[in-house]
Amino acid sequence: MSTQETNEHDRKGSYVRKGESFDRDMNYIPTRITKDGEDGYPVEAGRYRLVVSRACPWANRTIIVRRLLGLEDALSMGIAGPTHDKRSWTFDLDEGGKDPVLGIERLQEAYFKRIPDYPRGITVPAIVDTRDGAVVTNDFGQITLDLSSQWTEFQREGAPDLYPEHLRAEIDELNDWMLHRVNNGVYKVGFAGSQEAYEKEYHLLWEALDELEERLSTRRYLMGPSITEADVRLFPTLVRFDVAYHGHFKANRQTLATMPNLWNYLKDLFQTPGFGDTVDFQHIKEHYYYVHTDINPTQIVPLGPDMSHILEPHDRDRFETDTWGPGGTAPEPPLASEVVEPEHTPLHLQGR
């Protein structure tokens, strides 16, 4: 790798502010794609493209929901590479370094078509309108809810109800707590700019993980016998924990593999169609260890850990189980073009 390339990927000062706590910018483009098209973007099959990176936990949620609901034919997906520079995520995995549908090298180009000189971070996931190449939304919290509630016309037969009406208030409350204490909690530990901030966030994170360990001692999934949006939001954080957060973010009281309920829950979900088959461990490591030069200035990417034990038997079937909910079924295998490289995952699948 050339000096120029290394400098472009040096994000020093982008995440850690000396003496300060980490404060994520949670302002996103709030436009929604809905059945009634109230914001000017009606749900249409083939019109939009979901842009993700397999490295990103926030994007991982949308990949999972798209798979579980069977929206692959209605909503295409572009996959950015695992690393990005100060400007943007890039399509370096694609031939010629350009997304084959959008024809762009950088996701930034889609943001600037919608909002010239867009002043915030160029984030994934993002949904882009293929008609004009402009980003519609990057509001990751709303995107998955809308895929469940607004894209029903194009969902597969047997698609699970991930956001059932009678559980929404409880799911929303749990998701909000997990967002601040776990999903973003690991970042507040890893990007703490002082010892005091680190220790405060470290203890808050582990208190939350202990609560989840206890919660999962009485039920198969977070809300009971069936998978919901809450599980979709917790899984991407847990599956990155031993690979990145434990060492890289210094969230190292113990590995997740030593917590019986959380670990068996993670193994259960990883082995469930639509979850583990979305995970690329190599992309995850390359992103965290190479991009975050504030905390890993050498940009050396670790070879381990070996995650093959995530395929070992779990004990979660001891609980009441209705994994896909009333009338729900497992999704088909992933599209052949979207299968994770076998060198990057212990889960080796044939696509369709």
Side-chain angles (χ1 to χ4, degrees):
M1 182 165 292
S2 69
T3 301
Q4 181 181 359
E5 287 175 313
T6 301
N7 289 341
E8 285 181 351
H9 287 86
D10 187 348
R11 300 297 306 277
K12 188 169 179 59
S14 299
Y15 303 101
V16 179
R17 298 286 187 271
K18 189 170 179 59
E20 299 179 15
S21 298
F22 175 66
D23 184 19
R24 181 180 297 277
D25 182 355
M26 297 292 284
N27 293 293
Y28 299 97
I29 301 171
T31 309
R32 294 176 61 196
I33 300 170
T34 54
K35 292 178 181 178
D36 60 12
E38 182 179 0
D39 290 351
Y41 295 93
V43 171
E44 293 181 33
R47 174 173 173 177
Y48 305 100
R49 188 158 176 81
L50 173 66
V51 177
V52 302
S53 169
R54 292 194 187 277
C56 173
W58 317 102
N60 198 170
R61 302 173 174 191
T62 62
I63 304 173
I64 292 169
V65 171
R66 175 177 171 270
R67 280 271 296 116
L68 296 182
L69 300 181
L71 292 172
E72 292 98 330
D73 292 337
L75 179 64
S76 69
M77 185 170 73
I79 304 176
T83 62
H84 58 80
D85 57 27
K86 292 182 179 180
R87 289 185 285 166
S88 176
W89 294 90
T90 58
F91 295 101
D92 50 287
L93 300 177
D94 292 306
E95 186 176 353
K98 289 187 176 183
D99 180 88
V101 173
L102 302 175
I104 58 177
E105 296 179 354
R106 294 176 172 275
L107 182 56
Q108 183 185 57
E109 297 173 55
Y111 276 77
F112 285 177
K113 280 194 176 181
R114 173 76 186 277
I115 305 172
D117 298 321
Y118 180 72
R120 302 187 182 281
I122 306 300
T123 61
V124 289
I127 296 183
V128 178
D129 190 341
T130 63
R131 293 185 177 184
D132 60 7
V135 70
V136 178
T137 182
N138 63 343
D139 188 351
F140 65 85
Q142 190 62 48
I143 288 173
T144 52
L145 299 181
D146 284 345
L147 292 179
S148 284
S149 65
Q150 303 299 313
W151 289 71
T152 52
E153 179 183 353
F154 302 107
Q155 293 173 10
R156 67 179 176 86
E157 184 177 354
D161 184 359
L162 300 172
Y163 196 47
E165 285 275 2
H166 70 287
L167 292 176
R168 286 186 181 181
E170 188 178 351
I171 291 173
D172 289 345
E173 182 179 7
L174 179 60
N175 284 346
D176 184 67
W177 175 81
M178 288 195 301
L179 170 64
H180 296 289
R181 295 290 298 276
V182 181
N183 306 137
N184 195 40
V186 291
Y187 287 89
K188 289 190 281 188
V189 174
F191 294 150
S194 72
Q195 186 70 31
E196 181 182 10
Y198 164 74
E199 292 184 9
K200 173 188 174 185
E201 299 300 342
Y202 176 97
H203 291 303
L204 287 173
L205 170 65
W206 282 105
E207 287 173 8
L209 289 173
D210 286 339
E211 286 189 46
L212 290 170
E213 173 76 4
E214 179 61 29
R215 183 184 185 98
L216 290 168
S217 70
T218 60
R219 63 193 81 189
R220 182 158 189 172
Y221 306 108
L222 286 172
M223 300 305 301
S226 304
I227 288 170
T228 66
E229 174 79 13
D231 302 293
V232 169
R233 296 194 180 196
L234 180 58
F235 173 80
T237 300
L238 297 186
V239 82
R240 285 161 176 76
F241 200 90
D242 287 2
V243 173
Y245 304 146
H246 177 270
H248 183 60
F249 278 176
K250 307 180 186 71
N252 57 0
R253 189 188 76 180
Q254 60 193 104
T255 61
L256 207 67
T258 64
M259 303 183 76
N261 294 320
L262 278 169
W263 178 241
N264 278 281
Y265 167 79
L266 176 59
K267 288 193 292 183
D268 184 9
L269 286 181
F270 190 88
Q271 296 166 33
T272 299
F275 284 86
D277 55 53
T278 70
V279 175
D280 187 315
F281 285 118
Q282 184 60 30
H283 281 198
I284 291 168
K285 290 191 293 184
E286 287 181 14
H287 172 72
Y288 283 96
Y289 284 93
Y290 193 76
V291 172
H292 299 158
T293 52
D294 277 342
I295 57 177
N296 189 42
T298 65
Q299 296 180 304
I300 293 172
V301 178
L303 294 177
D306 177 2
M307 291 299 294
S308 59
H309 57 321
I310 203 168
L311 294 181
E312 292 175 355
H314 60 79
D315 64 1
R316 306 299 292 172
D317 49 9
R318 71 184 191 273
F319 298 113
E320 178 188 358
T321 299
D322 184 14
T323 297
W324 305 109
T329 59
E332 292 184 87
L335 297 174
S337 60
E338 296 178 1
V339 172
V340 176
E341 292 184 48
E343 297 82 7
H344 297 181
T345 174
L347 191 65
H348 300 160
L349 299 175
Q350 295 293 320
R352 55 185 167 91

